[in-house]
Amino acid sequence: MVARDLLNRLKEMLGPALLRVDTPADDRIFIHVERDAIRAVCRHVFRDLGARYVISIGADDRPFSGQYLVAHDFAFDAAHLLGSVVTHVPEGDPRLDSITPDVPAANWAERELRDLVGIEPVGHVEPKRLILPDGWPEGAHPLRKDVAWNFVPEGYDPERAFKFGEPPPGCTVVPFGPFHPTLDEPAHFRLYVEGEVVRGCEYRGFMVHRGIEKLAESVLSYNDIPMAAERICGICGCVHNVAYAQAVEEAAVLRAPPRAEYIRTIMLEIERLHSHLLWVGLACHILGFDTLFMQSFRIREPVMWIAEKISGNRKTYALCLIGGVRWDLTLELIAELRRVLDTLEAEWRAVIKAVLGDKNVQQRARGVGVADRSLVQELSLIGPVARAAGVPLDCRRDHPYAAYDRVEFEVVTHEGGDVWARIVVRMKEVLQSIEIIRQCLDKMEPGPIQLAITDELPVGRYGLSSVEAPRGESHHFVITGENHRPRRWRVRAPTYQNLQAVPAMIKDQQLADMTITLGSIDPCFSCTDRFEIVDLATSTTRVWSAEELARLARAGRR
Amino acid sequence: MIAGVPPSAATMFEALDQLFVSLKHWLVGQLPPAWQSWVSLAISAAAILGVFMTLFALTVLIERKGLGRIQNRYGPNRVGPWGLLQPIADLIKMLTKEDLVPSGADRVVHFVAPVVMVVPVLMAYAVIPIGRNMAAVDFNAGLLFFFAVGACIELAVFMAGWSSRNKYSLLGGMRAIAQMISYELPLILSTLPVVMLAGSLSLVDITDAQAGHSGGWLARWHVFTPWGLAGLLLFTVAATAESNRAPFDLPEGESEIIAGHLVEYSGIKYALFFIGEYLGMFAVSALGITLFLGGWRAPVIWLEWVPSYMWFFLKLGGFVALFIWLRGTLPRLRADHLMNLAWKFLLPLVLLNAVSAALWHYTAPWTFVGAGLARWLLCGSLVGVPYVLLGRRLFAGQHIGPRTYRMAA
């Protein structure tokens, strides 16, 4: 209904610039437009129709259509519709109007487009490098199809440094990261500090890019990728695993059996449980309150144990294949899971009571790191950050997947948009997750857990999938392809959007609030960077130079 | 002398109480007169050093164990039985660690800072009466001397922050200076009523001013008066902040500015800072005990047979336990909240407390029925009512103005 309405409006507005529209399902729309119309369409969709920006995808489509492909994904949450504005860019002129002036949320995605696919966003407000390392030569774009997955560029210049902006007058530069005790992963915030007040901030991250997407479209196959996908994140990997499987299933018009959908739901909620418990602990550690940090880790541990009993692992459950899941829940496991949930609920209610009544925590967290409604809308923030600003946004309800359309739960929101609101939202969501798992256990019926897929998957189809990760919406875009692997697979982890708001959230705040503000979005740099950290443990005290490390890394890769 | 015990037992208790004092006198008496005063001081200094260093080692272990229990875990339990040898393992680790000095650091100041931290703290112990006749020096301006040497800690922290040539260090140093100077004021002013009523700055005299018993059994400690009780509480808050303990451990603020002024210190220099902080904590607790809790005096008359130094260390243990408990219970404050607490809350209260003490003094001649209760109510409400009102204002939600942010353009 909404899709049709949208279609009519766009037809009227664009005329011949609108090339084609596909609506493969009631809740999906793919709008193919002329290259020159892209900015106007996106502005209309974002500004006039109030859609939420999700991500931009750049793909090298030259071997198939002789052109590059760019898609800007949007979500109409109230209307339960996910859409994509698709256009093609000719090989000889890889340039496209930037949408960032109208859609600020697209800032990073378009910079990524430029770095990895080599499509220049014309008129971008901040045309700096985002993902490629500082010394990487111009003109080498790893996601192009003529670049091998183990490509090492000529002319890498280790001396070249990133050009940061000028600090505001009267401010001192305080580097926050790349290594900081409360950052579990490297990321660099260059803070401009006046006294103890932060006046501005610039981000340089992506120090840990792994090139998982490139790997997927060049050497892995459909059923290998879920296992690589769940290694994107150290905490909420199952989210990527499920989101990828769903995107491929959607593209191939498959549907996993009902029992598999329930098991996916249960595992996703188990993951949310341990992720939120971890987060509450870490937030307390950041606030200098180590007692609750220890307590929430203790409460969390049985959840990890039951996950291990179900899947064999505390993390990386290796859950999904295309068209189903690999693990079934036995009656014993279900009984034990129920027991774990009962204990967890009782203990967690006690913690909620203690924390929500604590004036000291409130003093530290109220009015800190505010992301209000307008910022949420402008930067398309998601997950607990949006819900803490009173925006009821939850993919489980808005874009139902797995078995979420068969369970009842409340979308927890809170007013204020500050760190305190995020604490409240996450703490209460734990209880909702417990309820969801219980309902799934009640409703689940015996049956197959895996589709028998005998044919090859169709080629060149698009699939979108949004999964509500503990940190917000995790969005996957897949174009199916030849040789049992996708042509393009794009992952947008929740932190990718939320991290872009940190400079706005930290402005004019105390330096001491930087860590809790950053911590309050529950950042996951590995998700954002899609990279893996390798620990080179040596017993000698030899110091590795940067070149030696690079040589070592390359030797391992060949 | 001691109530409730037969004379022969009293002599024995007396001997036990004065055991260390007599031992020292005997030792000193063996030497030629010209040496005596010097050796006497040296023995006192050695005793202070030995006792409080041991206490430090014990406290670190108890703190780690206690925090572990508060947080539902074991704490150290691998070195020796129940982890008792952990302090020795820590010592070996600290002594054998590499001593790093940043290439850009001011080497001299960087080296001197830990020394400046520890030496004045040890000096402060000179004026504290640890037991009957057991003050190393009975200095007639003892309290002033204590605060004067105590102020050197600020200098040490700032020296460390400045000389490391590290922005986080400097931030830590700045925070420390701001915090310690702000809390110095309520700390010193909270001791003002004691000086007013005891009429002396000598800590020995102040202890003596708390001699005697009211009602024939309860000791006349200052804490049993309204101004003394309020004074002790205010003093404890200010003292916690002054010794950089949680929840006032902002200068280190591990999760915010990594370790503040300690970022660039390692090995024995780091250990000296660590020792300095704990010794500072003991010293300020000892001062609190002397000023408000009767020093080495027993709380009730029929417990006076327990040796005086035992009372002192019992009370000190109580303070240490309180500090550990606080650390396990409270989250860290933020810099501006900390300042608000010092200037807008503690400072008015300590001033009012001085007025309350004066009132207590001038209402002493009241003799009508219920005079004691009336005095308590009058003096207590002079501090109690502002406490409630100021506290309410401090915790009232601060107004958050509209925020603006310009996207990159």
Side-chain angles (χ1 to χ4, degrees):
Chain A
M1 196 57 208
V2 179
R4 195 156 304 280
D5 189 39
L6 175 70
L7 191 60
N8 291 334
R9 271 170 173 253
L10 285 175
K11 260 187 196 156
E12 204 174 294
M13 189 184 119
L14 292 170
L18 185 71
L19 297 176
R20 192 177 96 222
V21 172
D22 298 335
T23 48
D26 288 345
D27 51 1
R28 296 289 186 273
I29 185 165
F30 294 92
I31 306 157
H32 294 257
V33 297
E34 284 282 2
R35 173 164 74 141
D36 296 335
I38 194 94
R39 190 172 166 182
V41 176
C42 290
R43 179 171 52 217
H44 181 66
V45 168
F46 186 74
R47 290 287 171 206
D48 304 337
L49 304 180
R52 177 170 61 83
Y53 172 79
V54 180
I55 193 59
S56 300
I57 299 103
D60 183 0
D61 211 32
R62 286 177 300 168
F64 317 106
S65 66
Q67 290 174 310
Y68 295 106
L69 180 146
V70 173
H72 295 298
D73 284 7
F74 289 90
F76 299 85
D77 293 306
H80 310 295
L81 179 70
L82 281 176
S84 193
V85 181
V86 187
T87 189
H88 282 85
V89 178
E91 182 176 6
D93 181 26
R95 291 171 346 128
L96 185 70
D97 282 342
S98 168
I99 62 167
T100 307
D102 301 314
V103 188
N107 185 329
W108 279 18
E110 288 199 323
R111 284 160 71 183
E112 179 171 341
L113 213 62
R114 176 165 166 268
D115 278 10
L116 297 185
V117 196
I119 296 169
E120 184 72 34
V122 179
H124 193 285
V125 291
E126 201 184 357
K128 289 186 175 179
R129 205 164 254 195
L130 180 75
I131 290 184
L132 293 179
D134 302 334
W136 190 274
E138 294 290 342
H141 303 291
L143 273 186
R144 288 195 175 170
K145 288 287 181 195
D146 48 9
V147 172
W149 64 275
N150 55 358
F151 163 74
V152 176
E154 294 296 320
Y156 185 89
D157 177 11
E159 297 302 312
R160 193 162 61 178
F162 187 77
K163 273 209 187 77
F164 284 103
E166 278 295 305
C171 287
T172 313
V173 174
V174 175
F176 185 88
F179 301 104
H180 188 280
T182 49
L183 291 176
D184 305 323
E185 302 155 79
H188 180 64
F189 289 87
R190 194 173 140 99
L191 299 177
Y192 304 128
V193 177
E194 192 180 355
E196 282 239 3
V197 180
V198 179
R199 294 294 181 207
C201 153
E202 194 168 343
Y203 177 74
R204 174 71 176 137
F206 293 89
M207 291 158 190
V208 285
H209 192 76
R210 279 172 290 181
I212 283 186
E213 288 169 5
K214 181 72 184 176
L215 213 57
E217 60 188 55
S218 48
V219 287
L220 300 179
S221 69
Y222 279 124
N223 277 338
D224 297 336
I225 296 175
M227 313 312 151
E230 70 183 355
R231 279 159 178 83
I232 287 173
C233 179
I235 296 294
C236 53
C238 189
V239 163
H240 295 293
N241 179 301
V242 174
Y244 162 79
Q246 287 180 169
V248 175
E249 283 163 13
E250 186 184 300
V253 203
L254 299 168
R255 181 151 191 196
R259 190 173 173 89
E261 290 192 325
Y262 276 115
I263 292 174
R264 283 179 183 180
T265 311
I266 290 170
M267 290 315 280
L268 286 173
E269 292 305 319
I270 286 181
E271 193 169 71
R272 191 181 323 278
L273 285 180
H274 78 63
S275 175
H276 277 3
L277 294 178
L278 174 88
W279 180 83
V280 169
L282 289 183
C284 289
H285 172 64
I286 292 172
L287 291 177
F289 190 21
D290 282 349
T291 300
L292 193 53
F293 167 68
M294 299 284 174
Q295 294 288 5
S296 61
F297 265 67
R298 179 183 62 78
I299 296 174
R300 172 179 182 254
E301 198 55 23
V303 183
M304 307 302 284
W305 288 338
I306 188 75
E308 186 175 355
K309 278 195 178 164
I310 294 172
S311 71
N313 267 323
R314 292 162 64 87
K315 273 282 313 140
T316 52
Y317 306 137
L319 183 68
C320 290
L321 292 177
I322 307 302
V325 295
R326 296 179 61 223
W327 309 112
D328 203 353
L329 289 172
T330 62
L331 289 175
E332 296 80 37
L333 284 172
I334 289 174
E336 186 165 348
L337 182 53
R338 282 186 194 276
R339 276 199 300 279
V340 169
L341 292 180
D342 290 344
T343 326
L344 175 68
E345 188 179 9
E347 288 186 318
W348 196 245
R349 282 192 192 279
V351 171
I352 290 182
K353 209 175 137 206
V355 171
L356 297 194
D358 190 302
K359 281 195 174 168
N360 288 301
V361 175
Q362 283 194 38
Q363 268 240 310
R364 269 311 302 274
R366 269 190 201 275
V368 169
V370 177
D372 53 13
R373 274 165 187 275
S374 69
L375 190 70
V376 167
Q377 198 152 30
E378 204 70 3
L379 289 181
S380 293
L381 307 183
I382 42 185
V385 178
R387 292 195 285 276
V391 182
L393 217 140
D394 193 328
C395 292
R396 294 177 288 177
R397 186 198 58 188
D398 298 337
H399 311 287
Y401 53 92
Y404 284 107
D405 51 351
R406 278 151 274 171
V407 293
E408 281 180 13
F409 61 97
E410 179 198 340
V411 176
V412 180
T413 59
H414 201 81
E415 292 301 319
D418 51 7
V419 172
W420 175 249
R422 278 164 228 154
I423 293 177
V424 174
V425 165
R426 285 206 180 85
M427 293 195 89
K428 290 188 174 165
E429 277 184 7
V430 168
L431 300 177
Q432 294 298 324
S433 290
I434 294 175
E435 276 311 309
I436 292 176
I437 298 178
R438 284 193 182 135
Q439 290 180 42
C440 286
L441 293 178
D442 290 341
K443 291 185 179 170
M444 203 161 63
E445 280 170 9
I449 56 168
Q450 172 69 46
L451 283 183
I453 302 172
T454 47
D455 295 337
E456 276 192 33
L457 301 188
V459 170
R461 301 270 192 86
Y462 296 167
L464 301 179
S465 165
S466 279
V467 166
E468 186 71 20
R471 291 153 181 77
E473 173 204 44
S474 164
H475 182 85
H476 284 224
F477 178 98
V478 167
I479 307 176
T480 57
E482 299 75 8
N483 299 325
H484 294 289
R485 68 173 65 110
R487 274 182 201 165
R488 179 80 172 96
W489 166 47
R490 174 70 162 100
V491 182
R492 202 293 314 272
T495 306
Y496 196 88
Q497 282 313 119
N498 285 345
L499 200 55
Q500 295 184 49
V502 167
M505 282 152 67
I506 188 63
K507 188 174 176 284
D508 297 333
Q509 302 255 304
Q510 296 276 324
L511 178 62
D513 290 333
M514 173 65 195
T515 38
I516 187 62
T517 303
L518 180 60
S520 71
I521 69 164
D522 203 355
C524 185
F525 300 115
S526 277
C527 289
T528 311
D529 299 4
R530 284 155 277 151
F531 180 93
E532 188 167 28
I533 306 158
V534 182
D535 188 9
L536 298 166
T538 52
S539 53
T540 59
T541 51
R542 204 165 82 79
V543 179
W544 291 84
S545 70
E547 292 87 58
E548 281 173 320
L549 282 175
R551 216 176 301 136
L552 182 80
R554 279 168 205 159
R557 233 192 286 167
R558 285 200 178 120
Chain B
M1 279 297 275
I2 300 169
V5 285
S8 60
T11 326
M12 194 190 79
F13 288 136
E14 185 79 28
L16 198 61
D17 187 31
Q18 293 300 303
L19 177 67
F20 298 109
V21 181
S22 325
L23 200 65
K24 192 178 106 173
H25 280 184
W26 176 80
L27 263 178
V28 172
Q30 306 297 308
L31 295 166
W35 292 14
Q36 281 185 0
S37 61
W38 289 104
V39 172
S40 162
L41 278 178
I43 291 175
S44 302
I48 287 173
L49 205 61
V51 167
F52 284 96
M53 282 298 184
T54 315
L55 192 64
F56 159 72
L58 272 178
T59 306
V60 173
L61 181 68
I62 293 170
E63 168 146 29
R64 289 178 63 181
K65 282 276 193 191
L67 277 183
R69 290 294 159 177
I70 290 175
Q71 297 167 357
N72 267 12
R73 52 190 179 84
Y74 289 108
N77 63 353
R78 282 289 171 272
V79 193
W82 308 292
L84 280 177
L85 298 180
Q86 186 69 39
I88 295 168
D90 285 348
L91 180 75
I92 295 170
K93 182 190 78 174
M94 285 297 187
L95 285 174
T96 51
K97 264 194 174 172
E98 187 185 357
D99 176 37
L100 294 169
V101 181
S103 57
D106 184 333
R107 301 187 81 87
V108 177
V109 181
H110 192 263
F111 179 80
V112 173
V115 182
V116 176
M117 180 86 182
V118 175
V119 172
V121 178
L122 285 171
M123 282 165 72
Y125 285 102
V127 292
I128 291 182
I130 296 168
R132 198 191 303 270
N133 303 327
M134 284 170 79
V137 183
D138 180 12
F139 189 26
N140 61 6
L143 191 62
L144 203 62
F145 174 78
F146 184 96
F147 285 127
V149 291
C152 288
I153 296 179
E154 284 139 60
L155 194 62
V157 169
F158 194 68
M159 280 163 76
W162 179 260
S163 65
S164 298
R165 206 187 174 104
N166 175 316
K167 282 169 183 164
Y168 284 108
S169 286
L170 188 58
L171 272 172
M174 276 162 52
R175 279 184 176 191
I177 284 284
Q179 171 179 338
M180 292 172 135
I181 289 179
S182 305
Y183 278 86
E184 196 99 309
L185 216 57
L187 185 74
I188 294 175
L189 288 176
S190 69
T191 65
L192 184 64
V194 179
V195 177
M196 280 160 57
L197 293 202
S200 169
L201 279 170
S202 156
L203 294 178
V204 174
D205 290 350
I206 288 174
T207 315
D208 287 340
Q210 300 177 69
H213 298 90
S214 50
W217 61 277
L218 185 67
R220 284 184 190 276
W221 293 357
H222 288 145
V223 74
F224 298 133
T225 59
W227 59 267
L229 183 62
L232 177 66
L233 295 175
L234 293 167
F235 179 88
T236 311
V237 174
T240 317
E242 194 64 14
S243 50
N244 286 345
R245 291 278 307 182
F248 302 104
D249 55 344
L250 281 90
E252 287 171 45
E254 182 207 289
S255 55
E256 296 160 13
I257 50 172
I258 308 175
H261 59 285
L262 298 176
V263 173
E264 301 290 4
Y265 279 93
S266 60
I268 191 68
K269 286 187 196 160
Y270 175 83
L272 280 178
F273 273 106
F274 200 57
I275 293 170
E277 272 183 19
Y278 274 85
L279 289 184
M281 177 176 96
F282 299 149
V284 86
S285 310
L287 186 68
I289 292 166
T290 308
L291 295 178
F292 298 102
L293 294 172
W296 42 264
R297 290 179 187 281
V300 285
I301 192 160
W302 45 85
L303 279 177
E304 287 208 331
W305 55 272
V306 179
S308 55
Y309 44 85
M310 294 292 281
W311 278 121
F312 180 83
F313 282 104
L314 262 177
K315 291 172 192 173
L316 193 58
F319 256 98
V320 168
L322 177 74
F323 280 132
I324 296 174
W325 187 18
L326 284 179
R327 178 168 168 193
T329 318
L330 295 174
R332 188 182 302 125
L333 268 74
R334 206 175 68 194
D336 53 333
H337 296 161
L338 183 90
M339 290 298 149
N340 284 349
L341 185 70
W343 294 100
K344 295 185 182 169
F345 186 74
L346 289 182
L347 194 61
L349 286 184
V350 289
L351 290 173
L352 281 170
N353 196 34
V355 178
S356 158
L359 205 63
W360 181 262
H361 181 66
Y362 285 112
T363 54
W366 286 2
T367 50
F368 56 85
V369 180
L373 190 67
R375 284 173 74 201
W376 260 90
L377 278 178
L378 188 65
C379 298
S381 59
L382 196 59
V383 184
V385 173
Y387 168 82
V388 173
L389 294 179
L390 284 171
R392 216 172 266 173
R393 253 197 63 191
L394 199 69
F395 271 113
Q398 62 271 58
H399 177 70
I400 305 157
R403 296 166 50 79
T404 53
Y405 182 77
R406 199 167 52 87
M407 303 291 165

